[in-house]
Amino acid sequence: MSMSHKNSYELSFLEILTTSVARMGKIPDHIAIIMDGNRRYARRKGLEVSNGHKAGADTLLNLYRWGNALGCKELTVYAFSSENYKRSKQEVDYLMELMEQRCTQLLQAIESHHESDTCIQMIGNLDNLPEKLRHRVAHLMQRTRLNKPYRLNVAVAYTSWSREGILAGLKALIDKDQDKNDPSELNEYIIHQSHSLMDLRPVDMLIRTGGDQRLSDFMLWEASQAYIYTFYAGFMAGIQFWRTDACDFYVSNAYA
């Protein structure tokens, strides 16, 4: 995600107006998005698949910008599934290269003091990433760990992490002190404290682009009380500001 692109983007008058109206209601603190449809978007446009992925990455940049403008404190995106490793080597290599480029651009923006208000975290099985990308990710997370007030979480190599995370947390509870474990004392709070994503806010709104009506095992615990704003039929790469704003109007009405 290029901060130079972020800095060059200015909200239009109509976007400022609708944002101001939306902020009169309750804005979700945490929005989670399952990014889907980049390949279908590219094919419908007669483009190479790589162009669809790049367009999706650029849209993520805009979503982050719009979310901040609306007052959303945390954005989590499902960017790359472990299942995606089954795609062609050429496509996977491009996706890894694209993520590395965005991490590098972010680090450059941070070093130039253009970005200091966002903590960036990568969640998932990061050990499966290429070594160079893994080092970029670790550096990026370390450099932004204290940044406030916004937070951007990018889920990569994430498939089944919800179920595995819950199971791993329960196993950790059992292994921690086997002599003192009493199943009757387990409750939601204790399980939450053991969960790998316990430092994330509960998800207020979950969106899936691309039209598929499934959650793909994404943040099942964190999003258990979330409003699912339709399974948006448009593709990730084609999301416009107005769709984001409409989502917030929907949630504001749901909270009322």
Side-chain angles (χ1 to χ4, degrees), residues 54-64 66 235-239:
K54 185 177 184 302
D58 291 340
T59 300
L60 167 58
L61 190 66
N62 287 336
L63 284 172
Y64 166 68
W66 298 333
F235 303 128
M236 176 66 186
I239 288 182

Side-chain angles (χ1 to χ4, degrees), residues 119-230:
C119 171
I120 301 170
Q121 295 292 308
M122 302 289 186
I123 56 178
N125 191 354
L126 304 183
D127 289 339
N128 287 342
L129 299 178
E131 183 178 4
K132 189 175 180 181
L133 174 57
R134 198 163 62 245
H135 289 164
R136 285 279 193 280
V137 165
H139 190 193
L140 181 60
M141 292 170 62
Q142 191 277 332
R143 290 287 284 111
T144 64
R145 72 190 189 283
L146 300 179
N147 288 0
K148 295 179 180 180
Y150 302 111
R151 179 161 179 167
L152 173 64
N153 309 306
V154 182
V156 293
Y158 186 89
T159 295
S160 296
W161 192 257
S162 292
R163 286 176 295 182
E164 290 177 2
I166 293 171
L167 289 173
L170 291 173
K171 185 176 185 300
L173 282 176
I174 294 171
D175 292 343
K176 185 176 181 180
D177 195 341
Q178 294 186 8
D179 296 332
K180 295 183 179 180
N181 280 314
D182 182 354
S184 66
E185 295 180 357
L186 288 178
N187 55 45
E188 183 175 328
Y189 174 77
I190 292 175
I191 294 174
H192 176 72
Q193 292 299 307
S194 70
H195 194 39
S196 60
L197 303 181
M198 62 170 289
D199 58 333
L200 272 64
R201 293 178 176 87
V203 175
D204 299 306
M205 178 170 66
L206 188 147
I207 305 168
R208 183 190 181 108
T209 63
D212 287 345
Q213 297 190 14
R214 53 193 172 91
L215 298 179
S216 298
D217 201 24
F218 181 56
M219 302 191 75
L220 301 182
W221 182 274
E222 294 77 17
S224 61
Q225 301 297 317
Y227 287 98
I228 301 176
Y229 179 77
T230 185

